[in-house]
Amino acid sequence: MIALPDPVRLRAGDLAVVGLDGLRGRPLRAVLSALGIAIGVAAMVGLVGLSTVSKAGLMKEIDQLGTNLLTVSPGTSLLGQTSTLPKDAEGMVSRIPGVTGVSAVGAVQDVTVRRNDKINSSTTNGIAVQAARANLLDALSGTVRSGSFLNEATSRYPTVVLGSVAAERLGIDHAGRHVYLGGQWVQVAGILDTVKLAPEIDRSALIGWTYAGSLGFNGYATTLYERSTDASVQSVHDVLGFTVNPEHPEEVQISRPSDALTAQAAANRAFNALFLGLGAVAMLAGGVGIANIMVISVLERRQEIGLRRSLGATRGQIRTQFLTESVTLSALGGAAGVVIGLAVCLGYAASRGWPFALPGQTIAAAALATIAIGTLAGIYPARRAARLTPTEALSTT
């Protein structure tokens, strides 16, 4: 009986080199095969990364603006009539322990602001004229883009400060211009930046409390803005209604504007599952493409398989060779996708001035998914290659 030679043993490094030969021999095919995985991973990392960056940006804004701002506005009575805030509401609120500042605005009825006196008075462009206290910006942590805000002196004269949206709709881009307000020309003293915690201010034309009285303003505040220490926000919230309107506290509406930004951050997290699903579908399609390419590769390299088997390569070595090629192909596509996705996130964060937040869990999940997809895509082609006998593989038919 003739003794068969012992199977040739390959070290892990040599096996990896053999497994990568197919990729080096057909680089264009390798790139196109990995493209599907790269697109899927880039979509997954990029979309979740954008959501993570947006959340980080929102949380930064919340930290800067603070969560200690409460707004107070009149509600409705039991009969469905609109209530009013008492004229001394500001003073009463300022005496609550923990309150650090109170400001207010009041709607000026039947007064509009227009670009000029030729525009019909019914065309308001959604801009509200409101009387404002001089300390409003301090309470809202707002900033002036151009000019200056109202002060105790200018609040008595025909001057107006425009919110960011109001200025855009009126076509005013800098302070010093004039608008037609309340039947007369009024100078624009300032233009505000966007007020994140009070979007209603963005659509308002703000005039001084004293000057508003000459236009028929009744002196009642329609919204109070209250700041308190962080530790006393909840305790202040609990007594605001009773303080503002002791007889009918249920007719007082109290809200915390920062809750809207927090809810927006939570909504971004809710979309992460959808983004992951979209990326997974693209990765699955890429895995099918790799499996198809690997099957074609086995058919094209039958003679190579037969020659290696004749020289002593075992079925396990052949199987490992093609499995290594499939996993490497998938991993390279995944690595490219991660780089592309992170580049998109970094560029977006830089353009918005937001902190760069790394979606670490998503990257780890994408890495594991690419290895798993590469393994699954290579199992059938690898087993098919390993089942070939040397004579069958070397056959030309």
Side-chain angles (χ1 to χ4, degrees):
M1 179 178 296
I2 301 176
L4 296 175
D6 294 333
V8 177
R9 296 184 179 275
L10 292 178
R11 293 176 299 179
D14 296 332
L15 194 58
V17 172
V18 173
L20 297 178
D21 280 341
L23 301 182
R24 289 196 296 266
R26 300 169 180 82
L28 181 59
R29 176 187 293 181
V31 171
L32 295 177
S33 301
L35 186 60
I37 296 292
I39 292 174
V41 173
M44 182 182 296
V45 174
L47 291 174
V48 175
L50 291 178
S51 176
T52 304
V53 167
S54 298
K55 176 190 171 185
L58 284 174
M59 298 310 296
K60 180 181 177 182
E61 287 183 353
I62 292 174
D63 291 340
Q64 292 176 341
L65 298 172
T67 58
N68 59 346
L69 175 69
L70 297 176
T71 63
V72 181
S73 57
T76 55
S77 65
L78 294 177
L79 299 178
Q81 297 177 339
T82 302
S83 302
T84 58
L85 299 177
K87 285 191 175 181
D88 58 350
E90 292 176 71
M92 292 188 296
V93 171
S94 65
R95 291 191 290 269
I96 299 176
V99 172
T100 58
V102 183
S103 190
V105 295
V108 183
Q109 303 296 333
D110 302 324
V111 175
T112 61
V113 57
R114 291 167 283 161
R115 183 66 184 87
N116 54 58
D117 56 351
K118 306 300 181 183
I119 300 174
N120 192 292
S121 60
S122 62
T123 304
T124 65
N125 282 321
I127 303 173
V129 178
Q130 299 199 81
R133 295 296 190 187
N135 65 342
L136 179 64
L137 277 194
D138 294 333
L140 296 177
S141 298
T143 56
V144 179
R145 182 195 310 166
S146 175
S148 60
F149 194 67
L150 301 169
N151 54 47
E152 295 300 333
T154 58
S155 293
R156 299 195 298 267
Y157 300 104
T159 57
V160 62
V161 173
L162 300 176
S164 58
V165 176
E168 180 181 353
R169 292 177 180 176
L170 291 172
I172 306 296
D173 56 1
H174 63 273
R177 306 284 292 275
H178 288 77
V179 293
Y180 198 72
L181 189 151
Q184 61 180 319
W185 290 98
V186 175
Q187 186 179 41
V188 177
I191 299 175
L192 302 181
D193 287 315
T194 300
V195 182
K196 292 288 186 179
L197 293 181
E200 65 276 6
I201 299 298
D202 296 337
R203 300 184 296 273
S204 297
L206 305 174
I207 58 178
W209 208 270
T210 303
Y211 170 61
S214 65
L215 299 178
F217 176 52
N218 58 16
Y220 285 92
T222 52
T223 305
L224 298 182
Y225 300 97
E226 175 273 327
R227 287 276 187 182
S228 57
T229 61
D230 292 335
S232 61
V233 172
Q234 189 58 50
S235 62
V236 172
H237 180 279
D238 294 339
V239 301
L240 263 178
F242 296 94
T243 303
V244 172
N245 194 340
E247 294 183 357
H248 299 285
E250 72 281 357
E251 296 180 5
V252 179
Q253 293 184 343
I254 304 168
S255 62
R256 184 157 67 169
S258 60
D259 289 345
L261 294 178
T262 304
Q264 187 176 349
N268 287 340
R269 290 196 300 269
F271 280 107
N272 283 354
L274 175 61
F275 298 153
L276 289 172
L278 292 174
V281 170
M283 289 178 65
L284 181 61
V288 173
I290 289 178
N292 183 53
I293 291 299
M294 293 304 301
V295 169
I296 295 175
S297 180
V298 170
L299 295 176
E300 291 178 344
R301 297 161 64 185
R302 288 166 62 95
Q303 292 188 348
E304 174 192 336
I305 296 170
L307 181 60
R308 293 198 62 233
R309 293 280 283 120
S310 300
L311 294 176
T314 64
R315 293 180 184 273
Q317 291 171 351
I318 297 296
R319 186 166 49 246
T320 304
Q321 171 188 345
F322 282 92
L323 198 59
T324 300
E325 186 173 330
S326 175
V327 172
T328 303
L329 196 58
S330 180
L332 291 175
V338 168
V339 172
I340 295 173
L342 290 180
V344 171
C345 297
L346 182 60
Y348 181 72
S351 67
R352 300 296 297 270
W354 286 350
F356 179 66
L358 188 68
Q361 293 182 342
T362 304
I363 294 175
L368 294 176
T370 55
I371 294 175
I373 288 176
T375 301
L376 293 175
I379 287 177
Y380 172 72
R383 293 184 61 185
R384 182 171 179 175
R387 284 199 301 265
L388 292 173
T389 62
T391 55
E392 182 183 8
L394 290 171
S395 174
T396 56
T397 58

